[in-house]
Amino acid sequence: MAEPRFSRSWRIIGYRSSMDSSFRIQHVDLFCVLFLLFIRSSISVSNEIPGFCAVGYGESECGPSSSSKLLIKGGTVVNADRQEVADVYIEDGIIVSVQPNIKVGDDVTVLDATGKYVMPGGIDPHTHLEMEFMGTETIDDFFSGQAAALSGGTTMHIDFVIPVNGSLSAGFEAYAKKAKKSCMDYGFHMAITKWDEYVEREMEIMVKEKGINSFKFFLAYKGSLMINDELLLKGMKACKSLGALAMVHAENGDAVAEGQKKMIELGITGPEGHVLSRPPVLEGEATGRAIRLASFVNTPLYVVHVMSIDAMEEIAKARKAGQRVIGEPVVSGLVLDDSGLWDPDFTIAAKYVMSPPIRKQGHNKALQAALSTGLLQLVGTDHCTFNSTQKALGIDDFRKIPNGVNGIEERMHLVWDTMVESGKISVTDYVQITSTECARIFNIYPRKGAILAGSDADIIILNPNSSFQITAETHHSRTDTNVYEGRRGKGKVEVTIAGGRVVWKDGELKVLPGTGR
């Protein structure tokens, strides 16, 4: 990377102009100046950390590769059903051809992928960017969160729209506005937090006019997001009639509230109180209850962030009986255990607080096994980040610690190292659980989740022999902590292509707000 050097792989924009670029600051007219001021105003001061590299900040070469023609040459192309040594030719953001020995002209940018895997970019089915929650707002917005995702090989995510005062339309408009700064493609799920005839009509509008085909029901967070069984039944019936997918956050919210009260009465106010107040049995109960109600309505069910053996076994039992249930573990539940929550340093312990909680050692191994055998179907992150200052809102009461951990940048690397490098799954399975299955479930396959002629050119090049290390000093999220701090592994995403543009290469991230769709 050219000077000046920073600890992270991004560059602060505006410190210097490229000497070899044809762009010169004195040539910028008034319109460009106003445009730059607008872009700057859309990114908060907390974003001005080493690395936000966007066109127009003084370095014209800083944006994504502008070439409309790319050739990825000599790599092993991997889809969910097969792998082959082939070239991949891209024009204007679309894959045109996948075959050996493609010949191209001098106007095509060539990327050598010999000895590496060429795979569909990751799709994260579960994120919370710029979400208002527990008296604050998640620290990553639709630019910083997506930029972090791209550096880790994820090229699309699906975020959860939270209604505004129960209104789905108002919630949708609010999130559409937030997403204007996006630098990669995204989708929306919709949360349902109340029920009346108006909400039911709005669900139809969301499905038929806004492209939303999945609705989430919280069985936890009593007093805010939680809904009761009557509302859940009505929501499931509406999903069935609309052909939409019902999703649940499965914890028994009433019992959790009792558990929290008990911990406080016992004088347990630290982060360990969080995990003690929401044991696996409460996740298992709520998962089983939601599965049985979905069976009663006769509609499919998607269970988000499966964190325990208890919940996994309920899903496995239902699937064995022929019920249409999808189980989504998240990377934190697959690779971590609850030991961090017992750290005497509040800042360290609080960063692990999420719901359902990260479980004791043994649950993670069981979830890995379930994923490798198909009992669980795909991997998300529940990326919902708060910095240490925000987490400190609960320093005297664990109930006030904002719930959420990072993962949108780390998922692809950790799943490869944990599942593929260890021999638990194949390379094609990896594509299935990180990209293709999500695309199929949410009706975007084969536009996404595949390297096929006609698919979007969202592609990663992964070097199985290269190593990675995770640290808050080098990650691209705005948060100042990382729950995977210090982890090392094999299998590194060396190139990310989003919409036909090279956005991550040679450890450098080049992104532009407003390019996501």
Side-chain angles (χ1 to χ4, degrees), residues 116 413 461-463 466 492-496 504-507:
K116 303 172 185 179
H413 289 119
I461 300 175
L462 184 145
N463 186 343
S466 186
K492 187 175 182 179
V493 175
E494 294 186 339
V495 178
T496 304
W504 172 256
K505 185 174 181 287
D506 299 327

Side-chain angles (χ1 to χ4, degrees), residues 101-115:
N101 303 315
I102 297 175
K103 306 298 181 184
V104 294
D106 295 337
D107 60 335
V108 177
T109 300
V110 178
L111 300 173
D112 184 8
T114 303

Side-chain angles (χ1 to χ4, degrees), residues 300-373:
L301 182 69
Y302 183 113
V303 183
V304 303
H305 48 43
V306 178
M307 298 293 285
S308 67
I309 294 172
D310 305 54
M312 179 269 290
E313 288 180 342
E314 293 286 350
I315 293 167
K317 183 168 61 175
R319 288 177 62 85
K320 185 177 180 180
Q323 190 173 343
R324 295 165 295 171
V325 181
I326 299 160
E328 170 212 89
V330 291
V331 68
S332 55
L334 289 171
V335 306
L336 300 176
D337 61 52
D338 72 348
S339 57
L341 285 153
W342 296 84
D343 196 289
D345 185 325
F346 175 85
T347 299
I348 294 175
K351 73 179 180 180
Y352 293 100
V353 170
M354 65 172 291
S355 293
I358 298 166
R359 304 300 186 183
K360 290 182 179 180
Q361 185 67 249
H363 288 270
N364 50 4
K365 300 295 184 183
L367 295 176
Q368 292 172 24
L371 187 62
S372 68
T373 57

Side-chain angles (χ1 to χ4, degrees), residues 363-384:
H363 288 270
N364 50 4
K365 300 295 184 183
L367 295 176
Q368 292 172 24
L371 187 62
S372 68
T373 57
L375 292 177
L376 300 175
Q377 287 69 55
L378 72 169
V379 181
T381 63
D382 194 11
H383 182 89
C384 185

Side-chain angles (χ1 to χ4, degrees), residues 24 110 112 118 179 227 253 284 344 365 412 516:
R24 293 293 182 267
V110 178
D112 184 8
V118 180
I227 55 94
K365 300 295 184 183
M412 298 293 282

Side-chain angles (χ1 to χ4, degrees), residues 215-360:
F215 295 89
K216 182 179 181 181
F217 302 89
F218 289 86
L219 307 187
Y221 299 120
K222 187 174 182 178
S224 58
L225 300 172
M226 178 179 162
I227 55 94
N228 59 28
D229 287 354
E230 180 184 7
L231 192 157
L232 179 59
L233 278 168
K234 290 179 178 179
M236 285 180 170
K237 288 179 181 178
C239 286
K240 180 181 179 181
S241 68
L242 293 169
L245 180 61
M247 313 174 79
V248 288
H249 172 138
E251 290 181 285
N252 187 312
D254 290 321
V256 167
E258 284 298 310
Q260 291 174 329
K261 181 181 177 182
K262 180 179 179 181
M263 292 302 109
I264 297 300
E265 289 173 349
L266 292 172
I268 301 172
T269 60
E272 69 277 11
H274 177 76
V275 67
L276 291 172
S277 67
R278 340 171 64 104
V281 66
L282 301 187
E283 184 186 355
E285 185 281 329
T287 301
R289 175 161 41 99
I291 287 171
R292 288 166 179 81
L293 291 177
S295 176
F296 175 71
V297 175
N298 191 25
T299 193
L301 182 69
Y302 183 113
V303 183
V304 303
H305 48 43
V306 178
M307 298 293 285
S308 67
I309 294 172
D310 305 54
M312 179 269 290
E313 288 180 342
E314 293 286 350
I315 293 167
K317 183 168 61 175
R319 288 177 62 85
K320 185 177 180 180
Q323 190 173 343
R324 295 165 295 171
V325 181
I326 299 160
E328 170 212 89
V330 291
V331 68
S332 55
L334 289 171
V335 306
L336 300 176
D337 61 52
D338 72 348
S339 57
L341 285 153
W342 296 84
D343 196 289
D345 185 325
F346 175 85
T347 299
I348 294 175
K351 73 179 180 180
Y352 293 100
V353 170
M354 65 172 291
S355 293
I358 298 166
R359 304 300 186 183
K360 290 182 179 180

